[in-house]
Amino acid sequence: MKIFDREQQVALRVGSMILLGFAGFIVFIWVCGYLPGTIGRTFSLITGFLWTPLIMEPTLALMALMIILVLNHHRRKKEGPELVYLETVDGPEAKQLPRTPARQPFQKSRSLRAAMRWSRPLKG
């Protein structure tokens, strides 16, 4: 029995790697604070700034927002335009449609026709 399908497994792996990478970066900065000399003092200063509550929460929130925006941009770039044709247009109206290919709707024509039939206003 599968809990997650292939797409969800990939999303979980990518999300886990991002979180582990960020945590590893924080630990790296913290460990570098124990180096001798100016480098150690510099990393200790950075670690102190990162652990300050007024700086840490907004920084983490901004980093999370940037990660979400980058991943969304990558997804939209990979999937193409968000246009979806809900019905097939034949005849002279078809020439007015944009030439870019659109994704197919999730529900195919039979369900779409049934939905269109129920959405028409009642006569009378």
Side-chain angles (χ1 to χ4, degrees), residues 5-15:
D5 62 357
R6 176 84 173 125
E7 232 177 80
Q8 291 173 331
Q9 288 176 355
V10 170
L12 284 172
R13 284 185 190 135
V14 169

Side-chain angles (χ1 to χ4, degrees), residues 66-117:
M66 288 185 340
I67 289 171
I68 289 170
L69 291 175
V70 166
L71 289 175
N72 189 37
H73 175 71
H74 175 69
R75 180 191 60 85
R76 291 179 72 190
K77 189 175 169 184
K78 183 176 78 173
E79 291 180 1
E82 294 184 0
L83 297 174
V84 177
Y85 295 133
L86 296 179
E87 60 183 82
T88 305
V89 179
D90 295 325
E93 297 92 14
K95 293 178 183 176
Q96 296 174 355
L97 292 175
R99 294 281 183 207
T100 58
R103 292 182 283 168
Q104 295 295 320
F106 293 111
Q107 297 178 349
K108 296 296 180 183
S109 60
R110 195 174 348 147
S111 300
L112 185 61
R113 282 190 211 121
M116 293 295 286
R117 183 177 60 232

Side-chain angles (χ1 to χ4, degrees), residues 21-52:
F22 183 71
F25 179 69
I26 297 287
V27 169
F28 173 76
I29 291 174
W30 177 58
V31 168
C32 286
Y34 291 106
L35 291 173
T38 307
I39 295 174
R41 279 188 245 143
T42 303
F43 278 107
S44 293
L45 185 66
I46 292 171
T47 304
F49 278 128
L50 285 177
W51 263 249
T52 303

